[in-house]
């Protein structure tokens, strides 16, 4: 059975998001990545494999080490998806602000209050 993974599955796990954070600015070898976590090296390798399958990491052999480099272009898909809902909610909140502004009670002026007392 072949599992089709996508970028949303890749970033769903907090460890994978942290791995992306680690390699976003400079490539790191697997040992350096594994040292940053309190899980087994085997578990980190599985996370790296998933990130590579989703196109978020490129793993290259350099001598005896495997180095991971971030390839974050596919996060644009996540950004596009989030943006549509951000736009939707911003318009709803703007409509709510407008409604609340138009329905709030009008403040009576100081002069009006004094003229009613007389």
């Amino acid at each position: 059975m072949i599992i089709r993974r996508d970028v949303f599955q890749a970033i769903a796990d907090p460890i994978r998001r942290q791995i992306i954070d680690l390699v976003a600015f400079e490539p790191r070898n697997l040992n350096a990545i594994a040292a940053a976590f309190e899980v087994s090296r085997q578990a980190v390798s599985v996370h790296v494999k998933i990130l590579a399958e989703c196109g978020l990491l490129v793993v290259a052999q350099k001598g005896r080490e495997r180095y991971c480099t971030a390839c974050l272009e596919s996060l644009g898909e996540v950004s596009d998806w989030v943006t549509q809902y951000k736009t939707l909610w911003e318009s709803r909140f703007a409509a709510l602000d407008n409604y609340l502004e138009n329905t709030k009670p009008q403040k009576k002026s100081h002069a009006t209050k004094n003229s009613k007392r007389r």
Side-chain angles (χ1 to χ4, degrees):
M1 178 178 180
I2 297 174
I3 298 174
R4 185 182 173 279
R5 301 187 194 277
D6 66 13
V7 69
F8 294 95
Q9 290 170 318
I11 64 170
D13 188 279
I15 291 177
R16 290 193 288 269
R17 290 192 304 268
Q18 290 173 354
I19 291 171
I20 291 169
D21 288 342
L22 283 174
V23 299
F25 298 103
E26 75 176 295
R28 294 184 186 234
N29 67 35
L30 282 176
N31 289 328
I33 294 170
F37 298 96
E38 294 184 8
V39 296
S40 69
R41 189 178 186 292
Q42 177 87 16
V44 170
S45 290
V46 170
H47 288 299
V48 166
K49 180 181 177 191
I50 291 169
L51 289 168
E53 287 173 359
C54 296
L56 290 171
L57 288 184
V58 174
V59 181
Q61 191 81 31
K62 291 184 182 178
R64 300 175 91 191
E65 295 289 334
R66 291 175 55 204
Y67 279 84
C68 300
T69 304
C71 184
L72 305 178
E73 291 82 17
S74 58
L75 286 178
E77 183 181 347
V78 176
S79 178
D80 293 345
W81 186 80
V82 169
T83 298
Q84 71 180 337
Y85 291 103
K86 180 181 179 204
T87 303
L88 171 72
W89 282 103
E90 284 175 344
S91 68
R92 287 182 177 179
F93 285 130
L96 178 61
D97 285 343
N98 187 38
Y99 172 79
L100 293 174
E101 187 64 35
N102 291 327
T103 58
K104 77 172 142 179
Q106 299 297 319
K107 292 183 178 179
K108 295 183 180 182
S109 68
H110 186 65
T112 308
K113 289 180 183 177
N114 288 337
S115 63
K116 288 185 177 182
R117 290 185 192 164
R118 295 182 187 166

